[in-house]
Amino acid sequence: MQPDYPQELLLPMYQTLLENLTTAVLAFDAGLQLQYMNTAAETLIEASDRQLHGLHIDELFREEPPATEHLQQVLSSATSYTKREAKLQLPNGSTLTADYTVTPVTENGHTTLLMELQPRDRLLRITREETIKTRQETAKILVRGLAHEIKNPLGGIRGAAQLLARELPDESLKDYTNVIIEEADRLRNLVDRMLGPIKPPQLAEVNIHEVLERVCSLIDAETGGHMTLTRNYDPSIPPIAADAEQLIQATLNIVRNAMQAISQHMPLSDGNITLKTRIMRQFTIGNVRHRLICRLDIIDNGPGILSDMVENMFYPMISGRADGTGLGLSIAQSIITRHSGAITCESEPGKTVFSLFIPFEQPDRQADAGAAP
C-alpha cells in the first residue's frame, strides 16, 4: 500500500528530490526564459539560479545554429526534443559539450519546458585518453623493439670504426672513422631520447610553482626576456608527490615548443605564454577517480596546431616544424603518464592550451615493486 503524503509536503519533497539529482535540470517558461535550475545545473554552469533567473535561453546557451526554432516546435507540438553532443557556450565564456532533452510540461494551462542536461565533455575526454593511451603503449613497444634492433648494430659499427682507426697508417684518414663514430653516437642518443626517461620518478613533495619558476627562468634566458610569461597561480595549491626534475623537463618541453611556434610566426615581443594552476576535485584519469588533481594550463597566443596533428602530436618523430625532432611532446607525455597523470590539448589560431593533470597522491610504487614476483 502506497503512503498517502499530505499535499503540502509534496512540493517540498519534489524540490528536495530535484536538488539531489546529479542530472542538471532547468525549467523555462513559454517565453523561453529561465525559471529554475537545480544544484547540479548550477554546478555545471558555474553560476547560481539567482544570477541567471529570467535569462532567455539564447543568452544562457549560445549554440550554432540556435535551438530556438526547435524549442518553439516543442511548445507548439507538445513533443520532446533531444540533441546529442551539442556545443554550448556558457555565460562565463567556457564551452560545454552536452546531450540535452527538452520536454513540455503543461499544468493549469501553463506550459513549462523541462531541460535535462547531460555533460559529455568528461566522458569524451576519458574515451579519448584511453584511445590515445592504448595507441601510445603500442607505439612505445614498437619503438623499444626498434631501438634494440638499431643499437646492437650501431655498437658493432662504432667498435669496428675504432679498430679500423688504430690500423690506419695515415692520421688524416682517421677523419673518416671519426665521422662514423660520431654519427653512430648521434643515432644512439636519438634512440635514447625516443625512449624517454628510463628511471621511474623519484617521488618527493614538490611545489609546482617552484617548478614553473625554474621553467620561466630558463625560457627567459633563451629568449633574452623578450617574450611575455604570465603567471596565473593558485597560491593555495599544496605540494604534490612528484619528481621535480622530470616535471621541469616535461613542462619545459611544452613551453619551449610554444615559444618556438611563436617565434616562427611573429616577433617574440608579441608572444605571450600563460602558466595557470588550479585545484580540481573528484577528477577521473583513465579509470581512476582522484580526490584532488593539480591542473596546469600552458596557454600561448601562437598560430595554433593543425587539427589533423592534435591527435598524433604526442607520438615520437611527429612535429609541425621542419627543423623539429618530434620528441619534446612525446617525452612530456611519457613523464606525465609515469606520474599517473594526463595531458590534453585544445588549439585554434591565436590560442593553444596544453593542460597537465597531475594527482596530488601517487601510487605506492615501492610497495608495488616489493610485491612483484
Side-chain angles (χ1 to χ4, degrees):
M1 181 177 179
Q2 293 183 345
D4 186 14
Y5 291 106
Q7 187 66 31
E8 63 271 14
L9 293 180
L10 287 177
L11 186 58
M13 183 181 70
Y14 293 151
Q15 182 87 10
T16 301
L17 291 174
L18 281 171
E19 292 303 322
N20 283 277
L21 287 176
T22 57
T23 301
V25 176
L26 304 91
F28 298 88
D29 62 17
L32 302 184
Q33 293 178 311
L34 180 67
Q35 299 301 309
Y36 166 80
M37 60 181 184
N38 66 353
T39 302
E42 291 180 330
T43 302
L44 183 64
I45 299 174
E46 299 181 359
S48 68
D49 185 17
R50 180 178 299 178
Q51 291 173 298
L52 304 178
H53 192 86
L55 280 184
H56 191 272
I57 192 169
D58 286 343
E59 298 176 281
L60 184 62
F61 300 125
R62 294 183 181 178
E63 185 180 0
E64 291 296 336
T68 310
E69 182 180 344
H70 295 288
L71 300 184
Q72 293 292 354
Q73 291 176 0
V74 170
L75 286 169
S76 60
S77 63
T79 57
S80 298
Y81 170 72
T82 299
K83 186 167 184 179
R84 304 293 182 189
E85 296 190 11
K87 300 289 184 181
L88 307 175
Q89 186 172 355
L90 304 180
N92 62 6
S94 62
T95 301
L96 170 70
T97 303
D99 297 340
Y100 66 81
T101 298
V102 181
T103 305
V105 179
T106 302
E107 186 176 0
N108 298 328
H110 297 285
T111 299
T112 299
L113 291 183
L114 188 68
M115 173 182 277
E116 301 169 76
L117 202 61
Q118 293 281 358
R120 298 277 296 171
D121 296 273
R122 178 169 291 186
L123 180 60
L124 292 172
R125 179 183 57 77
I126 292 172
T127 302
R128 185 168 59 248
E129 284 177 5
E130 285 297 307
T131 301
I132 292 174
K133 184 178 179 181
T134 301
R135 291 177 179 175
Q136 288 173 339
E137 286 298 324
T138 303
K140 191 179 295 184
I141 293 172
L142 291 174
V143 168
R144 285 175 177 168
L146 183 62
H148 178 75
E149 294 301 322
I150 291 175
K151 291 178 76 171
N152 280 345
L154 276 180
I157 292 171
R158 191 182 193 281
Q162 288 177 318
L163 292 174
L164 178 61
R166 295 175 189 172
E167 301 297 327
L168 291 175
D170 190 342
E171 285 293 323
S172 63
L173 295 176
K174 292 184 179 181
D175 290 342
Y176 299 107
T177 55
N178 289 337
V179 168
I180 296 173
I181 294 170
E182 290 170 3
E183 288 301 298
D185 289 341
R186 186 178 66 84
L187 285 174
R188 184 191 60 197
N189 292 335
L190 177 62
V191 170
D192 288 339
R193 290 177 61 199
M194 287 176 64
L195 293 173
I198 297 175
K199 293 183 179 179
Q202 302 300 306
L203 300 181
E205 287 195 346
V206 175
N207 185 321
I208 188 64
H209 300 131
E210 291 180 359
V211 168
L212 298 183
E213 286 304 307
R214 173 75 179 279
V215 171
C216 287
S217 66
L218 292 171
I219 293 297
D220 270 333
E222 290 185 26
T223 62
H226 292 139
M227 191 175 65
T228 303
L229 295 171
T230 303
R231 281 86 159 171
N232 185 353
Y233 296 163
D234 179 354
S236 68
I237 294 180
I240 62 177
D243 185 314
E245 291 302 318
Q246 290 194 15
L247 280 191
I248 289 171
Q249 182 181 3
T251 309
L252 180 61
N253 285 358
I254 296 174
V255 175
R256 183 178 284 148
N257 193 72
M259 179 265 291
Q260 291 170 344
I262 288 171
S263 67
Q264 291 185 345
H265 290 82
M266 66 179 77
L268 278 177
S269 56
D270 294 337
N272 186 300
I273 298 178
T274 299
L275 302 175
K276 177 181 176 183
T277 58
R278 291 294 185 270
I279 290 177
M280 300 188 72
R281 292 174 171 80
Q282 302 302 329
F283 192 85
T284 302
I285 298 176
N287 58 358
V288 179
R289 190 173 184 86
H290 298 272
R291 187 174 62 87
L292 286 177
I293 287 286
C294 175
R295 173 172 178 165
L296 165 61
D297 289 335
I298 301 171
I299 309 166
D300 71 76
N301 65 339
I305 302 170
L306 296 176
S307 58
D308 58 349
M309 284 196 61
V310 171
E311 292 294 329
N312 301 316
M313 68 175 65
F314 293 110
Y315 292 116
M317 312 307 290
I318 301 295
S319 176
R321 303 193 316 274
D323 58 346
T325 63
L327 295 177
L329 293 180
S330 174
I331 292 172
Q333 170 76 17
S334 176
I335 290 172
I336 298 303
T337 299
R338 284 169 174 262
H339 283 80
S340 305
I343 302 180
T344 63
C345 177
E346 295 181 2
S347 185
E348 61 184 37
K351 184 180 181 181
T352 297
V353 183
F354 280 89
S355 298
L356 281 62
F357 303 93
I358 309 169
F360 280 92
E361 298 176 356
Q362 297 290 326
D364 190 347
R365 299 174 187 274
Q366 291 182 347
D368 293 343

